[in-house]
């Protein structure tokens, strides 16, 4: 029932996909009855092309939705439960590599593991198919989980059986599978903790994520590499649930502002920027002290509602920018060190921040208040996978 | 008071216990009313004998349900909430050792800690009593938790106050406390991450767990030792709840395929083998890159529904088996290294995989579908603790 | 706007605050209707003064509620959702320092981060304002989380941008934000795992927390520093929820007795001391084996209901006290080592244990039973922040 007649619509003009070479395929046949088995969950199928490429002037790699535009992290991909994503991966490098997702369904040919002979040789193009499913109730009242979640994808083949070299090279990105009815954000930030880096940067080169006061901001947090980390965001918190929100007044889920972000883990949540705390420059960082001291810290800049800079914010950013150049009193010598021994030139195209393509469709809830008890609105139009790697804050 | 008059009944013939020397005691009196206080929760008492022994040809140890049959991990023990397990532990080694459980109730004499003078001297036999309880509602509407969960047991006395040498030696195993009504699986796999090993093995000697497409498979995951780990399973996922399933359509628990498995932690979940992804060889591994590269990886082999090998699976396993012998491109030299400096001969009897003894009683739900909304079936017959250490896949 | 007209009332006589110089402000206006927006949640405002001071005879620091009485950990602070806490921090040291909370709302001036120019210079007094909020239902049925939780506070400025030196020096403590209706405990223990220490101690100097059989005991667990840890408590368990309890019979939250306690993390739970297991000396420890072996272990002493010592408990404590002096068979040489290279003289004033000031108001539920299904009682009187650092077990 979630499937609609085919048409090209519902895609934001802002989406890279709408204008990209990749076609978008929607089902020609209406959805089966609600008793349909999980494997035939209703949904649309989209085809996209991704390019794995060397980042010029570095020995790093990135995924991109257009040739010549690799980013670290790669583009944030999104789908609704029940949807299928067909990814034509073009390997424009001279290395064996692949794309391996978390959270979705794939057969062994799309595993992305060399083990299953699922990878792209240098120069090769290969299609990986990711399916998602809705939850369903099994006998005995149990509900088998669906695919909805904040997930991620990464190389699983470059330089070894587990993609270690690919990850260290920058081949990773975020993947969101939404349940219909989930709230959509205005802004989205992907934060990847990998060894001593945030999105392959160390402070003060780490991302400054921006939003205006009251905007609904979605964070997608991903852990990789060899070290344990904990993600902390100042002045904001979230429920430790799939959505970052609670189920109701009686939900006793943990509410947190610090969460383990260890290798292979991912989670996401939405906050209302500056809610209850006001605009300003707020720090996000790994709470492992040595890691934050050595540069795993960045800034969540909450501007005034009209987009202007709040008092003190620029000064805070200036102090932050001086972090690695003498302003960092305890460990300033260490800040510039790349623990992986590779250059981190400013030419690395940053991924991680974007405006949600559905954000322009209408006012998003940012306040609760009088309208809070209304019935849920109808399902939003399906989000499209889209590039968010071009520039931070665009 | 939890012990009732002895009688022998209710055990599957498949259970090792039925034929073992250990007696089994079931209640002669029907369960008390539902208002019974927690400390008098209805339940049966079972008596088993476990043997802690040296593994011949190694300097390792294992627990077993029969003399001369120690395994690593030890036998998977199971009980229902309210049940009591009386374990007569025979120490056939020349070392002080004990058995310490997580999740159940015990008095100080059964703590297993030298601190409480609770251990077996070399050659000594000692009884440890583990009780479990159902949850109960306290005043103010709060529910105090019962014992149900995926737990574990381990030595707490060999070579020190915390059993560190016993754990490194192999003295650990899984313990499940079920709530009545919990779904029973067809197959059960115990996976222990301890330092750089899986069930005291490193790839390619790590377990290959097998199931047929559509079988309900239960994973019991346990962390030990000194290092942080993350458990990842390819192509399958679970809810981050006690059962791995959701509570209902509105349950916003995390759905995950990667979870921290740090020392002392344990969790479990059930998946339908190959559901939505098909049969094949699927990798499970620690997602800490260095750990997987050095051998913390194994195979979940999902055969076709009729038990035959799916296309490509044997080739994948062959590649995996070549992992430590040149097929592991990045780190092949390191794969054979035991980080603990002890020999890992192929003669170690593997524990970890078993067919559930209740599995033969009738078709388990594997699909959801038409029967999904029926009323819950009556409580299953109580599971018995049983040996699953003899051979993988038996 | 959360501040109301001042008045003095509603405080337990047992609270340190009642007799302290710090004033206490409670609302003069009754709470607004239940439809009040989050930002105007009803609540009281309290003003306290905290002192950051050097601990004599050491190079450590502590927070305290009276001058000359710094403790490690600092005083446990409490508030109800909707309350505001105004902390006048007096810096009696010769170092730059601050106080940074987790879980509550604050504007950039109260961030405690040098980045936001929010710190106390040596000798300076500065006020930090922490607000809390209740959860509220946004459109679409989602509930944005409130502030309720087991949180913590710590220095964020001493010796660097992230307070690393302040944390290593002892500047940290617990913070509880309760939801109205939450059960109040009889005793409270704060346990901080920081590098290889528990509350800046290593065994056998680690805290012995005491309670009588049947008392409701609240644990506040906090992780800091650079290392991953797992907190394990013998013979007791809790639900992995905000309260440590379940939501109802159908709640499938994890029940655990071992949980990650990594840097920046915090959680809390309540247990009934000795419930189902009896009185005795029970160990709590980090389950990372090397950590417990080197001294991250302590004792939860559950006395008989009348306060007398149960059989064997003193002997267990004596064994524990011999831990670092030859009784620790595997690693005794290492136990006395402070991994941070600083002296840990017995003169450090311990924080961490206290009797809850509301505990004397009437019998707390410890059994469930007949009264279990009654309607929830009216909200308890608001708890007050109070010193619990003077002596363990007072």
């Amino acid at each position: 029932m979630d499937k609609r007649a085919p048409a090209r619509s519902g895609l934001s003009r802002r989406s890279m996909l709408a204008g990209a070479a990749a076609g978008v395929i929607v089902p020609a046949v209406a959805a089966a009855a609600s008793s349909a088995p999980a494997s035939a969950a209703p949904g649309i199928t989209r085809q996209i092309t991704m390019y794995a490429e060397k980042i010029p002037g570095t020995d790093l790699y990135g995924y991109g939705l257009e040739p010549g535009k690799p980013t670290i992290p790669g583009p944030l991909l999104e789908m609704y439960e029940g949807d299928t994503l067909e990814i034509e991966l073009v390997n424009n490098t001279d290395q064996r590599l692949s794309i391996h997702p978390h959270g979705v369904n794939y057969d062994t040919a799309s595993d992305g593991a060399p083990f299953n002979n699922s990878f792209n040789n240098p120069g090769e193009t290969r299609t990986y198919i990711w399916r998602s499913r809705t939850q369903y109730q099994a006998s005995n009242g149990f509900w088998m989980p669906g695919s909805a979640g904040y997930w991620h994808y990464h190389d699983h083949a470059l330089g070894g059986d587990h993609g270690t070299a690919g990850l260290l090279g920058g081949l990773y990105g975020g993947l969101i599978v939404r349940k219909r009815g989930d709230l959509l954000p205005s802004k989205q930030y992907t934060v990847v903790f990998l060894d001593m880096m945030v999105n392959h940067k160390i402070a003060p080169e780490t991302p400054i994520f921006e939003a205006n006061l009251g905007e609904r901001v979605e964070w997608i947090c991903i852990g990789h590499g060899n070290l344990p980390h904990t993600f902390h965001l100042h002045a904001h918190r979230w429920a430790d649930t799939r959505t970052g929100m609670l189920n109701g007044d009686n939900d006793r889920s943990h509410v947190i502002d610090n969460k383990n972000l260890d290798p292979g883990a991912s989670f996401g949540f939405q906050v209302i920027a500056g809610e209850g705390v006001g605009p300003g420059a707020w720090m996000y960082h790994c709470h492992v002290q040595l890691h934050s001291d050595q540069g795993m810290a960045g800034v969540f800049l909450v501007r005034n509602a009209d987009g202007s800079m709040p008092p003190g914010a620029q000064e805070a950013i200036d102090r932050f920018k001086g972090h690695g150049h003498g302003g960092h009193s305890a460990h300033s010598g260490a800040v510039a060190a790349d623990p992986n021994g590779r250059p981190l030139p400013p030419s690395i195209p940053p991924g991680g921040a974007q405006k949600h393509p559905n954000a322009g469709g209408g006012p998003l809830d940012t306040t609760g208040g009088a309208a809070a008890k209304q019935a849920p609105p109808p399902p939003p139009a399906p989000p499209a996978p889209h590039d968010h790697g071009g520039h931070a804050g665009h």
Side-chain angles (χ1 to χ4, degrees), chain A:
Chain A
M1 62 191 139
D2 287 338
K3 262 191 275 182
R4 317 296 165 109
R8 288 178 171 268
S9 72
L11 278 181
S12 158
R13 285 182 175 249
R14 298 196 71 264
S15 166
M16 284 300 298
L17 278 184
V24 175
I25 304 209
V26 291
V29 179
S34 63
S35 61
S39 58
I44 65 168
T45 294
R46 287 197 197 83
Q47 293 174 328
I48 64 172
T49 301
M50 288 182 77
Y51 302 84
E53 301 185 336
K54 201 88 177 279
I55 294 178
T58 75
D59 55 357
L60 300 175
Y61 301 88
Y63 295 108
L65 286 169
E66 294 182 85
K69 297 193 175 173
T71 62
I72 299 177
L76 178 63
L77 304 178
E78 292 188 52
M79 55 204 297
Y80 274 116
E81 276 189 339
D83 291 353
T84 294
L85 198 56
E86 295 186 3
I87 299 175
E88 184 184 56
L89 177 65
V90 180
N91 179 4
N92 283 336
T93 80
D94 59 0
Q95 300 289 315
R96 179 185 83 172
L97 54 76
S98 73
I99 189 165
H100 165 78
H102 283 234
V104 290
N105 288 348
Y106 47 85
D107 61 22
T108 53
S110 293
D111 186 18
F115 165 72
N116 270 319
N117 220 12
S118 172
F119 57 83
N120 298 50
N121 278 313
E124 191 182 7
T125 294
R126 181 187 180 94
T127 298
Y128 298 81
I129 300 175
W130 301 349
R131 296 181 303 273
S132 62
R133 72 169 199 214
T134 53
Q135 60 183 20
Y136 69 90
Q137 190 172 24
S139 66
N140 217 350
F142 292 93
W143 286 82
M144 296 296 286
S147 304
Y150 291 91
W151 303 101
H152 59 106
Y153 60 86
H154 60 89
D155 171 62
H156 209 303
L158 200 159
D161 289 340
H162 298 282
T164 301
L167 281 162
L168 284 176
L171 290 172
Y172 53 76
L175 168 65
I176 304 175
V177 182
R178 296 190 195 277
K179 197 170 160 178
R180 290 187 185 277
D182 284 352
L183 289 178
L184 296 183
S186 302
K187 295 275 178 67
Q188 298 174 288
Y189 308 140
T190 302
V191 179
V192 181
F193 280 9
L194 187 158
D195 294 342
M196 302 294 278
M197 302 179 288
V198 179
N199 293 3
H200 256 69
K201 305 273 192 181
I202 53 175
E205 305 303 328
T206 42
I208 296 180
F209 296 119
E210 300 192 20
N212 292 346
L213 184 68
E215 284 191 299
R216 180 173 288 275
V217 172
E218 182 168 70
W219 296 74
I220 302 98
C221 302
I222 301 165
H224 274 305
N226 291 317
L227 298 175
H229 297 293
T230 48
F231 173 87
H232 174 50
L233 175 61
H234 280 222
H236 298 77
R237 75 202 65 83
W238 63 94
D240 193 11
T241 62
R242 176 179 66 80
T243 60
M245 287 170 270
L246 296 171
N247 261 0
D249 195 40
N250 194 38
D251 188 341
R252 295 200 184 89
S253 295
H254 288 285
V255 175
I256 57 176
D257 64 7
N258 192 88
K259 186 175 165 79
N260 273 61
L261 193 51
D262 295 309
S266 58
F267 62 89
F269 59 91
Q270 296 176 0
V271 297
I272 308 302
E275 185 188 41
V277 299
W282 299 108
M283 211 177 269
Y284 67 87
H285 60 87
C286 181
H287 215 294
V288 176
Q289 296 296 131
L290 184 65
H291 297 187
S292 52
D293 282 342
Q294 294 197 345
M296 293 190 76
V299 178
F300 175 29
L301 173 60
V302 179
R303 292 173 174 272
N304 293 322
D306 65 2
S308 60
M309 278 293 266
Q314 188 59 54
E315 292 82 347
I317 289 172
D318 290 345
R319 278 182 215 107
F320 177 77
K321 287 292 186 184
H323 218 251
H325 309 293
H328 196 280
S329 52
H331 296 266
S332 58
V335 171
D338 173 2
N340 297 295
R342 284 170 292 95
L344 284 172
S347 60
I348 300 174
Q354 69 174 56
K355 184 168 179 181
H356 195 280
N358 292 79
L364 286 177
D365 174 73
T366 56
T367 61
K373 314 238 172 198
Q374 293 177 352
H386 41 147
D387 180 15
H388 66 127
H391 301 284
H394 78 123

